[in-house]
Amino acid sequence: MSKRSENALTILTYHRVAPEGQITYLPALSTEAFSRQLAWIKRYYQVLTLADAGRMAAEGQLPEHAAVITVDDGYDDCFHYIFPLLQQHGLCATFFITTAGLEQGQLWEEQIAEAIIDAPLDCQQLRFNTTDYPVHTFATRLRLAKTMIDKLKYLTIEQREQQVASLRQATGVRHSSRQFLQPEQIRQMAKAGMEFGAHSVHHPILMLEQDAVAEQEIRRSKHQLEQLLQQEVISFAYPNGQYGRDFDDHHIAMVKQAGFRYAVSTVPGSNTDINSQAFCLHRVSPWPTSQSRFMLSLLRSTQRDAGGSNGY
């Protein structure tokens, strides 16, 4: 029997990164702030891929202050900004890909934001679902995009797609600009030592979907990435990621049956027993931009709920 590591694992999660001043449809951490955080992470942690961390923990060899950097969704800033900065700092990361973006070029949140923000300049008011919304300034459009994303997040895939189509029709914005990773970019990053995991196909709230749909979202995303990479994909990130609200034990069983070895949530905290927490690993989101606040936020996040052996 393998020896259990006594050391904890910190898993950090990121999404979008872009240069300061670059307009993005959704909020992004600046490349400058991300680079500073990577320097701090490198100073205080030993950074591993999730696969290596899991293997070392199972062998009782997980080092002190071990950490995994994860990046969700799969937008092209992963290749243009995140990947080069990781290489610059000599670090690796695990990227969780929502595979619908590979074909569609963006995900549903960006489709909503693009439809609202790119509406014609002479559009002062937007009627959607019998409600009128002001869109006379860029700021009001940004706020409306966030409001719509929050409203539509907890719909099924089918309901959400209908709403996105209706919104596009209301604004007249049909074109979807490509903002997602290309398959060749993923292969290049993997060749350079980056790890890739699945994040479902369409990023649904699994709790809202019928079992057959949820299972297909999990299994198909794994298969698509394995076909692309020509290697086994062993890790999964639950969309939205809150245990009991977005997924539960039923979906954990689906992830296990699909052949994954690890799955990450967005439940804050550290991972003190990777063997028992393997399918509901905790993650933290480090946003503060000063070194002292950054480290304090990590300390507080990893202490929160760290005592539970199951992670949920």
Side-chain angles (χ1 to χ4, degrees):
M1 181 178 291
S2 59
K3 177 185 174 184
R4 193 184 86 178
S5 173
E6 295 180 355
N7 294 326
L9 175 67
T10 298
I11 306 179
L12 305 98
T13 180
Y14 293 91
H15 287 82
R16 306 297 305 272
V17 172
E20 190 76 49
Q22 177 174 306
I23 296 175
T24 58
Y25 289 115
L26 296 178
L29 186 65
S30 74
T31 50
E32 294 83 356
F34 183 62
S35 183
R36 286 195 299 270
Q37 289 192 9
L38 291 181
W40 300 334
I41 292 166
K42 185 176 182 179
R43 181 178 303 166
Y44 294 107
Y45 289 95
Q46 181 164 335
V47 177
L48 308 165
T49 64
L50 185 55
D52 284 342
R55 174 183 53 79
M56 294 173 77
E59 295 170 353
Q61 299 297 320
L62 187 69
E64 291 185 7
H65 311 300
V68 174
I69 298 169
T70 66
V71 184
D72 286 5
D73 298 334
Y75 280 95
D76 59 5
D77 44 296
C78 291
F79 183 78
H80 295 302
Y81 306 123
I82 297 174
F83 176 45
L85 287 170
L86 287 166
Q87 289 190 306
Q88 180 181 318
H89 289 276
L91 298 172
C92 58
T94 300
F95 294 82
F96 290 106
I97 307 299
T98 305
T99 56
L102 295 170
E103 179 179 348
Q104 298 173 0
Q106 57 180 207
L107 303 178
W108 69 273
E109 297 103 322
E110 293 282 352
Q111 292 172 4
I112 290 172
E114 184 179 63
I116 295 170
I117 294 169
D118 289 354
L121 292 176
D122 60 0
C123 180
Q124 300 293 302
Q125 191 165 271
L126 171 63
R127 174 168 282 268
F128 182 65
N129 288 345
T130 72
T131 302
D132 292 323
Y133 299 94
V135 290
H136 56 288
T137 66
F138 182 70
T140 58
R141 293 182 182 206
L142 279 177
R143 285 196 296 270
L144 178 58
K146 183 181 185 306
T147 297
M148 287 296 180
I149 289 168
D150 290 342
K151 278 188 175 183
L152 303 186
K153 178 182 289 187
Y154 281 89
L155 296 178
T156 65
I157 297 170
E158 182 179 0
Q159 291 169 335
R160 200 169 63 197
E161 288 179 349
Q162 291 172 351
Q163 292 291 294
V164 171
S166 296
L167 188 58
R168 284 191 174 277
Q169 184 175 6
T171 62
V173 176
R174 299 284 196 276
H175 175 68
S176 295
S177 59
R178 183 167 188 93
Q179 304 167 49
F180 213 78
L181 283 170
Q182 301 276 4
E184 185 51 45
Q185 292 171 334
I186 291 177
R187 284 190 283 263
Q188 183 178 332
M189 292 165 68
K191 194 172 183 179
M194 305 298 146
E195 181 186 13
F196 286 87
H199 195 29
S200 80
V201 180
H202 297 99
H203 205 284
I205 303 298
L206 295 174
M207 290 273 280
L208 298 178
E209 302 293 345
Q210 297 292 323
D211 284 356
V213 174
E215 188 168 4
Q216 184 182 44
E217 286 286 315
I218 294 166
R219 289 182 176 274
R220 188 176 163 207
S221 61
K222 185 178 195 292
H223 174 73
Q224 288 174 325
L225 281 176
E226 289 177 338
Q227 290 292 105
L228 190 159
L229 292 165
Q230 291 298 295
Q231 65 187 44
E232 186 181 13
V233 171
I234 64 171
S235 56
F236 182 80
Y238 300 102
N240 223 50
Q242 284 295 302
Y243 177 80
R245 185 186 69 186
D246 304 320
F247 73 99
D248 61 15
D249 291 345
H250 195 48
H251 305 101
I252 290 174
M254 291 182 186
V255 170
K256 290 180 181 179
Q257 291 164 5
F260 291 102
R261 296 180 212 165
Y262 309 101
V264 297
S265 69
T266 56
V267 177
S270 184
N271 301 286
T272 55
D273 182 0
I274 298 176
N275 291 325
S276 66
Q277 291 179 253
F279 289 93
C280 192
L281 291 164
H282 292 170
R283 291 194 289 176
V284 295
S285 298
W287 286 100
T289 53
S290 74
Q291 183 174 353
S292 59
R293 290 183 178 180
F294 175 82
M295 296 309 300
L296 182 60
S297 73
L298 286 186
L299 179 62
R300 287 174 174 170
S301 295
T302 54
Q303 286 179 338
R304 195 181 311 158
D305 298 333
S309 62
N310 291 326
Y312 52 91

